[in-house]
Amino acid sequence: MTLTIRNIIPILNAQFHGDREDAIIDTVSIDSRSLQNSTHTLFFALVGPNHNGHDYLKALLVQGVYNFVVEYIPDGMSGSANFLVVENSLNALHDFAAMYRSNFTFPIIGITGSNGKTIVKEWLNFLLSPDYNIIRSPKSYNSQVGVPLSVLGINEKHNLGIFEAGISTVNEMQHLEKIIRPTIGILTNIGSAHDEGFHDVGEKIKEKLCLFSAVEVLILNKNRSIEAFLSPRVKTFTWSSDAGKADVFIMANEKPDCTELRVTYQKHCFTVTIPFSDQASIENAIHCLMLLLYLRYDEAIIQTRMAQLYPVEMRLKVKNGIHNTRLIDDSYSSDFQSLKIALDFLESQKQYKKKTLILSDIFQSGLVNDDLYAQVSFLTVTNQINRVIAIGPTISNYQRKFPNCLAFPTTAAFLEAMDTLTFEEETILIKGARHFHFEEIVLALEEKTHETVLEINLNAISHNLNFYKSKLNPKTKMMVMVKAFSYGNGGYEIAKLLAHHKVDYLGVAFADEGIALKQAGLELPIMVMNPESTSYQALIQFGLEPEIYSLKGLNAFVKLAEEKQLKNFPIHIKLDTGMHRLGFMEDDLPELIARLQQTQALAVKSILSHLAASDNMAFVDFTLGQIKLFKSLSEQLMEALQIQPIRHLLNTSGISNFGQAQFDMVRLGIGLYGVSNDEEEQKFLEQVATLKSLISQIRVIEPGESVGYSRRFMAERLTRVATVPIGYADGISRHWGNGKGYVTIKDKKAPIIGSICMDMLMVDVTDIDCQEGQEVLLFGKDPSVTYMAKQLGTIPYEIMTSISQRVKRIFYRE
């Protein structure tokens, strides 16, 4: 479907300022950082509480983007491009997507609920794909921005759509309904997610049901609390486990590794087996089963396909690979829309200049193969992919379309030839359709470590960053602390994400942390908080900016800088306003000023201090005294030196409790990683880190037998003991053992028994139905690091930074 600016102006009710109404548009973008932006891109400059797309238009113009939907034309840009001026750019994006959707008449399945949306969507795609050419939401694209971008992926070859819609407060679903316009609706589980955005559960249900105002049928679990809000005009197709209360009666017989669903529909009974036994998966599978019944699928087909359902991997994972490589694992899907998302993620996370794409045949694109692989080739060129490894009989036929391409008919053929290929110092995106079993490629390329992993949710970091940004004045800069390996979470990967979000500064404790980031290609300015004089040479070499907190340190750095004939090298002056740890005291100012006036080698980039008790409101007067003293001392420096440096004082708790003292910049630390000292604020932060392991072995011991060193646990009953391969060498405190702490297995608490060993700990699983190899949660949702810290009489910082480097970090984006 070809559109020009002339076509789009009336759709958006826009005022046109430009000279090329005939400009052809073939893609839409909201991300200025995407390498896929081109001369045929229509860029929507969205404005949010923490960002403004208008700030990036000049850079986009340099990159060749010429067509913009804006709320205003930035200063100095009038006449330089095509501008479609609208009242609200997000509403304009909605209108554009709604218009686009109106051109297609095939059935659309709309899914909403608190939980299960993405899994039901992915399972329906699997179940229906043999019979339809399906367009679906990529990943979890279900927001006010994600839904329109998903719908804009429809083309003339598709004949079924599956889109999910998510909301966080009232008056949002009406916008998504006009874009999706579903013909079939599915309401999944209603839970507690986003409760804070609604007055009560009833208001949330009402809002979600807005998606189904014009559907032919709504599939849902028959529930009186939901039915009370249903319009009588909406036809329903319901299921229940209570006989006679719904259109379909379903009884679940759960077994250890599967569940038998006994289905009674229209007086006919049959059994469907699904390979899951947890309640969430059972309910999600039933919603899929209901759609197959509604579409009148044959019983035998339903039984065969439902038995083949699989765990849905919704994450893009970043892992360490062999020979200094970085892997991005997206090995369970291969469609055109999600390929574009994965390539953008590759660009945001690349650690090395060289980029390799391992890609399987692509399905359900809605395009003929010649057009599809021409577009895929264009993506690889615009994303500057250095090497493509094509796997599959179809994509291999288009080998010549890709730069530096190797082709293999099967995954097995690639694995057989892998020893002849070189993988070294590169970032590798591995993206393949499920039946190509690309997990075998990931396993072959992944660095081998033990079974314990620390999973880092990059979405949660972005959320927490934006949460604290929302508290800042528009012109306040932000420094983010990535010291101590980003509080134990992983330095480079998080720093790269922060650079992607355009924070102003990074802060590290010591020079070696900053050097590692610079060597990995980080271009953001980095301040070193505790520089040692022995590291000054390296600081200068790598362009790191030191915090200067003493006359001795200043004199040493001036001497070196002058020897190297430096001019205006940036430094940061630390003042002691009450922390009494590091910094210049008020009495030091005359000598400090005199020394700085004597040299041109250095330039004071910022003046800072540190609050001692910003998290404790019992010391409000003390903190206000620090703020007052900092203002006074910094003004003395600025006046004497005739400078206007950045001033910064607030840490995470300071941002929340003393917003009046933002000055020019704030320093975000532990809050980024999902930890707040305030219980109310904690509710708005997302959990970043989850520490997981596996059960190595399970044994049964008799009453009177013991577990571990010094026989500190004595069994009083027949006890099942599970051994988990993680210990105090991995960062688990020995004080967490002997019944004080616990782990979570299958959503149940398993007490830690006996002493925690160097590499192992043991837990009591007598009352938990579990097997060897099953997952163990050490911390995350339950127990949380905050809870652990409270029980151990310490702080969350210590729990997080104690996790050793031998624990593999896996970074993922949902």
Side-chain angles (χ1 to χ4, degrees):
M1 182 178 176
T2 301
L3 288 171
T4 65
I5 291 295
R6 185 178 292 109
N7 303 137
I8 296 170
I9 292 170
I11 295 168
L12 304 187
N13 192 26
Q15 293 182 350
F16 179 66
H17 299 265
D19 58 359
R20 300 185 196 171
E21 286 193 27
D22 59 345
I24 295 173
I25 300 300
D26 60 17
T27 59
V28 164
S29 175
I30 61 164
D31 189 350
S32 63
R33 299 160 297 196
S34 176
L35 295 180
Q36 296 160 34
N37 294 325
S38 71
T39 54
H40 298 301
T41 294
L42 180 62
F43 183 85
F44 283 77
L46 301 185
V47 179
N50 310 305
H51 64 268
N52 187 339
H54 299 76
D55 294 341
Y56 310 112
L57 301 192
K58 289 181 180 178
L60 283 164
L61 190 62
V62 172
Q63 296 167 22
V65 180
Y66 193 79
N67 303 289
F68 304 99
V69 176
V70 298
E71 296 179 11
Y72 59 88
I73 299 174
D75 291 342
M77 291 197 70
S78 183
S80 62
N82 280 341
F83 293 101
L84 284 72
V85 182
V86 297
E87 187 174 330
N88 183 292
S89 51
L90 178 60
N91 290 343
L93 177 63
H94 290 171
D95 292 340
F96 184 74
M99 175 283 303
Y100 188 81
R101 160 71 177 91
S102 68
N103 291 285
F104 303 93
T105 58
F106 55 75
I108 298 286
I109 301 166
I111 307 169
T112 194
S114 300
N115 309 105
K117 298 183 290 293
T118 302
I119 292 174
V120 170
K121 176 199 69 187
E122 292 299 318
W123 281 352
L124 287 178
N125 177 68
F126 166 76
L127 294 166
L128 300 174
S129 58
D131 312 304
Y132 295 92
N133 196 350
I134 299 172
I135 175 71
R136 70 190 193 278
S137 311
K139 301 295 179 183
S140 299
Y141 266 41
N142 58 31
S143 67
Q144 297 290 305
V145 173
V147 167
L149 294 179
S150 300
V151 167
L152 289 169
I154 299 174
N155 64 45
E156 291 81 358
K157 299 294 183 179
H158 294 123
N159 56 15
L160 179 69
I162 310 174
F163 298 105
E164 56 177 295
I167 54 171
S168 57
T169 189
V170 295
N171 301 322
E172 289 187 342
M173 192 62 86
Q174 59 184 341
H175 301 296
L176 303 186
E177 191 280 334
K178 76 174 185 180
I179 299 169
I180 299 174
R181 289 176 52 201
T183 53
I184 299 172
I186 297 178
L187 181 65
T188 64
N189 174 276
I190 297 293
S192 59
H194 301 298
D195 273 355
E196 66 277 5
F198 302 92
H199 183 263
D200 53 33
V201 175
E203 187 176 58
K204 180 198 283 189
I205 293 171
K206 240 176 128 176
E207 180 70 18
K208 289 185 179 293
L209 289 174
C210 289
L211 181 63
F212 310 121
S213 58
V215 294
E216 296 172 3
V217 66
L218 170 59
I219 295 170
L220 74 161
N221 183 356
K222 193 172 181 66
N223 183 305
R224 287 180 183 174
S225 64
I226 294 176
E227 287 181 328
F229 299 98
L230 268 175
S231 166
R233 297 192 304 272
V234 176
K235 178 185 175 184
T236 61
F237 185 44
T238 59
W239 65 272
S240 176
S241 297
D242 295 329
K245 290 190 175 182
D247 298 305
V248 183
F249 172 55
I250 301 177
M251 288 294 293
N253 178 21
E254 299 159 31
K255 299 182 178 181
D257 55 356
C258 68
T259 298
E260 287 184 355
L261 301 176
R262 186 165 180 78
V263 183
T264 303
Y265 176 49
Q266 295 180 340
K267 298 181 180 181
H268 174 64
C269 295
F270 64 100
T271 299
V272 173
T273 300
I274 58 173
F276 304 98
S277 57
D278 63 286
Q279 288 301 314
S281 296
I282 293 170
E283 187 169 346
N284 292 333
I286 289 174
H287 284 116
C288 295
L289 169 65
M290 289 291 291
L291 182 74
L292 296 179
L293 288 174
Y294 178 75
L295 295 177
R296 299 182 180 180
Y297 269 75
D298 181 76
E299 175 185 318
I301 293 176
I302 293 174
Q303 290 171 324
T304 300
R305 293 186 187 175
M306 293 288 290
Q308 297 172 2
L309 291 178
Y310 52 85
V312 174
E313 182 56 72
M314 296 179 287
R315 303 166 171 180
L316 284 159
K317 292 183 178 179
V318 182
K319 305 176 179 179
N320 286 328
I322 59 175
H323 308 313
N324 293 322
T325 58
R326 206 75 170 146
L327 310 181
I328 297 178
D329 179 2
D330 194 15
S331 57
Y332 293 95
S333 67
S334 183
D335 60 88
F336 187 65
Q337 291 299 103
S338 66
L339 174 61
K340 293 196 285 187
I341 294 170
L343 286 169
D344 277 343
F345 184 68
L346 167 63
E347 185 61 25
S348 75
Q349 277 294 312
K350 70 170 196 252
Q351 184 170 355
Y352 304 100
K353 289 184 178 180
K354 184 178 178 182
K355 294 182 286 187
T356 293
L357 170 63
I358 302 178
L359 183 66
S360 77
D361 288 349
I362 293 176
F363 302 109
Q364 297 179 334
S365 69
L367 301 170
V368 296
N369 284 335
D370 285 354
D371 292 341
L372 168 63
Y373 289 104
Q375 291 193 29
V376 174
S377 172
F378 178 74
L379 282 180
T380 61
V381 172
T382 57
N383 281 271
Q384 300 166 15
I385 302 300
N386 303 95
R387 175 172 60 164
V388 175
I389 296 175
I391 299 177
T394 305
I395 194 172
S396 293
N397 291 332
Y398 295 90
Q399 178 179 1
R400 292 184 179 179
K401 285 187 174 289
F402 297 99
N404 191 21
C405 182
L406 300 172
F408 300 90
T410 64
T411 302
F414 166 77
L415 292 170
E416 188 174 336
M418 207 177 93
D419 287 344
T420 67
L421 305 176
T422 300
F423 294 96
E424 189 173 14
E425 294 190 344
E426 58 193 291
T427 305
I428 306 168
L429 171 60
I430 303 167
K431 186 162 184 61
R434 185 173 184 83
H435 75 261
F436 279 91
H437 298 288
F438 271 20
E439 66 272 15
E440 296 178 16
I441 297 176
V442 174
L443 184 63
L445 290 174
E446 190 175 4
E447 184 180 64
K448 303 304 180 281
T449 55
H450 72 80
E451 296 164 315
T452 298
V453 298
L454 185 67
E455 292 186 345
I456 309 299
N457 185 339
L458 297 176
N459 296 79
I461 287 179
S462 297
H463 168 86
N464 297 339
L465 176 68
N466 287 329
F467 173 77
Y468 285 101
K469 275 186 175 181
S470 70
K471 294 176 177 288
L472 304 183
N473 300 323
K475 294 185 178 180
T476 302
K477 299 177 185 296
M478 180 174 280
M479 174 186 290
V480 180
M481 308 310 298
V482 292
K483 61 183 181 179
F485 199 52
S486 288
Y487 292 72
N489 292 287
Y492 170 77
E493 295 79 10
I494 291 174
K496 185 69 177 175
L497 178 64
L498 295 171
H500 193 64
H501 282 293
K502 301 185 184 299
V503 303
D504 300 285
Y505 257 92
L506 298 179
V508 298
F510 298 105
D512 56 351
E513 296 173 314
I515 290 169
L517 293 176
K518 287 294 186 181
Q519 287 179 325
L522 261 292
E523 296 179 0
L524 277 177
I526 299 174
M527 184 172 114
V528 181
M529 309 291 282
N530 308 319
E532 298 157 317
S533 58
T534 54
S535 68
Y536 285 172
Q537 182 83 31
L539 286 174
I540 293 171
Q541 180 183 345
F542 288 94
L544 301 172
E545 302 176 14
E547 172 190 292
I548 301 296
Y549 51 81
S550 70
L551 290 167
K552 179 182 177 182
L554 176 61
N555 288 327
F557 199 76
V558 168
K559 183 174 183 293
L560 180 62
E562 290 179 343
E563 286 175 356
K564 291 183 171 293
Q565 299 182 343
L566 300 179
K567 291 285 187 182
N568 298 320
F569 191 90
I571 63 169
H572 303 263
I573 298 298
K574 176 74 167 285
L575 302 176
D576 184 354
T577 56
M579 185 76 166
H580 297 331
R581 187 173 61 180
L582 295 174
F584 292 95
M585 302 289 286
E586 186 170 8
D587 292 344
D588 297 324
L589 257 59
E591 194 172 350
L592 169 63
I593 291 169
R595 190 69 184 95
L596 289 171
Q597 288 175 331
Q598 293 167 4
T599 183
Q600 294 182 353
L602 307 181
V604 178
K605 190 71 175 285
S606 82
I607 303 172
L608 68 146
S609 188
H610 200 96
L611 295 178
S614 60
D615 60 332
N616 191 334
M617 300 311 286
F619 298 113
V620 169
D621 289 342
F622 180 85
T623 302
L624 291 176
Q626 279 196 272
I627 294 169
K628 183 178 179 181
L629 182 58
F630 176 70
K631 184 174 185 294
S632 172
L633 298 183
S634 60
E635 285 176 351
Q636 289 181 49
L637 276 173
M638 292 163 64
E639 184 177 351
L641 298 172
Q642 290 295 293
I643 57 173
Q644 290 294 322
I646 298 167
R647 290 189 290 174
H648 48 113
L649 175 66
L650 300 185
N651 53 11
T652 296
S653 296
I655 295 170
S656 298
N657 297 330
F658 298 93
Q660 75 275 20
Q662 291 180 18
F663 291 96
D664 305 299
M665 186 163 71
V666 297
R667 300 189 301 272
L668 179 61
I670 194 72
L672 181 75
Y673 308 100
V675 177
S676 172
N677 292 305
D678 182 270
E679 290 184 5
E680 282 303 308
E681 184 172 272
Q682 186 67 54
K683 296 175 183 177
F684 295 96
L685 299 179
E686 292 187 359
Q687 171 196 318
V688 168
T690 301
L691 183 62
K692 294 179 177 180
S693 193
L694 301 174
I695 297 175
S696 296
Q697 188 176 43
I698 295 176
R699 67 179 70 249
V700 178
I701 62 173
E702 300 289 334
E705 290 191 293
S706 62
V707 172
Y709 288 118
S710 302
R711 306 193 71 196
R712 288 197 171 94
F713 174 81
M714 303 290 290
E716 297 179 357
R717 59 172 179 167
L718 197 67
T719 303
R720 293 179 80 227
V721 180
T723 300
V724 183
I726 183 172
Y728 61 77
D730 300 293
I732 303 299
S733 171
R734 293 184 75 249
H735 299 294
W736 192 233
N738 292 314
K740 187 164 193 172
Y742 65 91
V743 301
T744 301
I745 301 173
K746 296 186 73 174
D747 295 324
K748 293 183 179 180
K749 294 180 180 179
I752 299 173
I753 55 178
S755 296
I756 292 176
C757 307
M758 180 181 286
D759 309 301
M760 288 171 280
L761 57 80
M762 288 70 72
V763 297
D764 183 349
V765 293
T766 306
D767 301 319
I768 302 175
D769 180 17
C770 57
Q771 286 81 41
E772 293 174 358
Q774 287 190 319
E775 186 176 271
V776 179
L777 178 66
L778 281 302
F779 68 62
K781 184 177 180 181
D782 184 23
S784 68
V785 292
T786 303
Y787 173 82
M788 291 176 68
K790 187 175 181 180
Q791 296 302 307
L792 291 168
T794 184
I795 55 177
Y797 301 68
E798 183 176 345
I799 304 292
M800 296 167 66
T801 58
S802 295
I803 303 305
S804 74
Q805 293 302 298
R806 76 176 186 175
V807 173
K808 177 170 64 176
R809 270 71 173 173
I810 293 179
F811 301 85
Y812 68 89
R813 175 172 286 172
E814 294 179 328

